[in-house]
Structure formats: C-alpha cells, structure tokens
Amino acid sequence: MSSTPNDEKKLEFRIFIFLTVFLAPLLSILLVSGLGFAIWFGQILTGPPGAG
C-alpha cells in the first residue's frame, strides 16, 4: 500500500469519530425504541402485566 502511517491515523480517527458520535447513539436509540415498541405492541395484544 502507498498510504503513509499519518494517513492511516487520520482514517482511523475519522472512523472512531463516526462510530462514537453517529453510529453508537443511533443504534442505542433504535434498540431502545424497538424494545419499547415491542413491549407496547405486546401489551395491546395480551393486556398489561397482572391483568387477569
């Protein structure tokens, strides 16, 4: 490869920023939202916990 170690460090830093600033928060929001939706939809179908 013709890339220098300095170029590789810049690329690595950009990937790190992308993962920590954009990807991790987005995945966290999607995971929590998906779980909340699943619980909400499950309660629509089966009723709240303890109802019976």
Side-chain angles (χ1 to χ4, degrees):
M1 274 202 291
S2 63
S3 62
T4 64
N6 197 18
D7 290 341
E8 289 178 10
K9 283 188 177 186
K10 285 181 182 179
L11 178 61
E12 185 176 329
F13 182 71
R14 286 182 180 170
I15 292 172
F16 173 76
I17 292 297
F18 172 74
L19 289 174
T20 56
V21 173
F22 296 108
L23 194 60
L26 180 64
L27 289 177
S28 299
I29 291 168
L30 290 175
L31 181 67
V32 171
S33 300
L35 181 61
F37 178 79
I39 291 171
W40 172 74
F41 193 72
Q43 287 183 354
I44 286 177
L45 297 176
T46 63

